[in-house]
């Protein structure tokens, strides 16, 4: 039994403050896109989790979120049998695209079905929250408001379909380090401000692509781009090559170029790929996904 694990992007990311538990209070709009890993799961007679595939950056060992997700499902379900899982990676690692979180979410969904556990989406989301802040969202995907530390989810109207040029530099960004460097004030407290999230939600309610790309924003951009000025140059290059707007996803360093048109996205992607200046950068083209489109395959 197998499923596709979609990447996610942030249409907004507002950091509201630093919490006492060490996490940050956030308000963000998340969106799944058609850039996928693939997870295959089957029952085996041996007891335990047997993970293969992955990549050098996401090795098939106990540190992998897929392994941790499978072990958690077996333990919570009280099952003594085992599962063999093969993970095919395509989503870049440490890119702000939640590939590992998506792999874990899809593992939970597959094992729920394969083992006949009968868990609801809400039950799977609660289990997913034990693995990381992004994992619950990726149980359903689509478009959602995420609050708290990212695990409190509210479904939103589907975003207008648009295309993205996804560009991953040949370096990563440590999410904890980026948040720490932001220097957010304690939460609750600090000065209230209207961030990008409220504007993005209004644009989604109106179904307006133009309003949406005008509204997108990311509080963490200032930190990661401050460390890597070439990311600002990359944003400008994507716009020069036809994208309507460019934005960093999550804690970065992946940069997204937005356009309504697939041909524009492919032309911009080709321009980046063919430029010697951006040698070593990974480039993909993907469109937005709705929750209903699912991840079978």
């Amino acid at each position: 039994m197998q499923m596709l694990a979609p990447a996610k992007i942030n249409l907004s990311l507002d950091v509201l403050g630093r919490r006492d538990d060490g996490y940050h209070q956030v308000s963000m709009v998340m969106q799944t896109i058609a850039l996928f890993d693939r997870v295959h799961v089957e029952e085996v007679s041996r007891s335990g989790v047997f993970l293969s595939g992955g990549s050098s950056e996401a090795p098939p060992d106990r540190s992998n979120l897929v392994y941790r997700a499978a072990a958690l499902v077996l333990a919570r379900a009280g099952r003594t049998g085992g599962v063999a899982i093969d993970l095919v990676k395509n989503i870049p690692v440490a890119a702000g695209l939640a590939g590992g979180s998506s792999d874990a979410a899809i593992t939970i969904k597959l094992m729920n079905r394969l083992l006949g556990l009968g868990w609801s989406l809400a039950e799977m989301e609660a289990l997913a929250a034990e693995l990381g802040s992004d994992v619950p969202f990726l149980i359903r995907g689509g478009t959602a408001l995420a609050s708290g530390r990212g695990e409190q989810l509210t479904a939103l109207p589907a975003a207008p379909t648009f295309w993205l040029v996804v560009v991953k530099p040949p370096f990563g960004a440590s999410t904890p380090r980026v948040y720490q460097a932001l220097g957010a004030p304690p939460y609750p407290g600090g000065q209230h401000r209207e961030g990008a999230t409220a504007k993005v939600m209004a644009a989604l309610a109106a179904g307006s692509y133009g309003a949406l790309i005008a509204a997108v924003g990311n509080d963490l951009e200032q930190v990661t781009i401050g460390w890597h000025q070439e990311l600002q140059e990359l944003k400008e290059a994507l716009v020069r090559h036809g994208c309507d707007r460019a934005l960093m996803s999550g804690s970065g360093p992946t940069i997204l170029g937005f356009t309504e048109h697939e041909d524009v996205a492919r032309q911009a992607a080709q321009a980046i790929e063919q430029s010697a200046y951006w040698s070593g950068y990974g480039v993909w083209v993907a469109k937005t996904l709705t929750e209903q489109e699912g991840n079978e395959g």
Side-chain angles (χ1 to χ4, degrees), residues 7 22 25 32 96 109 141 226 285:
Q25 188 78 8
T32 44
K109 292 178 72 172
V285 172

Side-chain angles (χ1 to χ4, degrees), residues 93-96 168 171-178 224 227-228 248 251-254:
V93 176
K168 165 63 170 66
F171 52 83
S174 164
T175 299
R177 183 168 171 248
V178 172
T224 308
W227 293 338
H228 303 282
M248 188 180 82
S251 56
T254 296

Side-chain angles (χ1 to χ4, degrees), residues 200-223:
V200 166
M201 290 174 64
L204 291 171
S208 169
Y209 167 77
L212 179 63
I213 62 160
V216 296
N218 182 349
D219 283 351
L220 300 181
E221 234 189 17
Q222 59 184 290
V223 174

Side-chain angles (χ1 to χ4, degrees), residues 96-181:
L97 297 172
S101 295
S102 187
D103 298 340
I106 294 308
T107 299
I108 293 171
K109 292 178 72 172
L110 279 169
M111 291 184 63
N112 180 50
R113 184 183 301 179
L114 183 68
L115 303 179
L117 301 177
W119 292 341
S120 67
L121 288 170
E123 288 172 314
M124 288 189 286
E125 286 170 350
L127 191 71
E130 299 181 33
L131 295 165
S133 300
D134 285 338
V135 187
F137 164 67
L138 289 151
I139 294 289
R140 300 189 201 214
T143 312
L145 170 69
S147 53
R149 58 181 175 86
E151 84 289 3
Q152 299 171 15
L153 301 171
T154 304
L156 294 174
T161 299
F162 58 86
W163 290 82
L164 294 147
V165 184
V166 181
V167 186
K168 165 63 170 66
F171 52 83
S174 164
T175 299
R177 183 168 171 248
V178 172
Y179 271 99
Q180 183 179 23

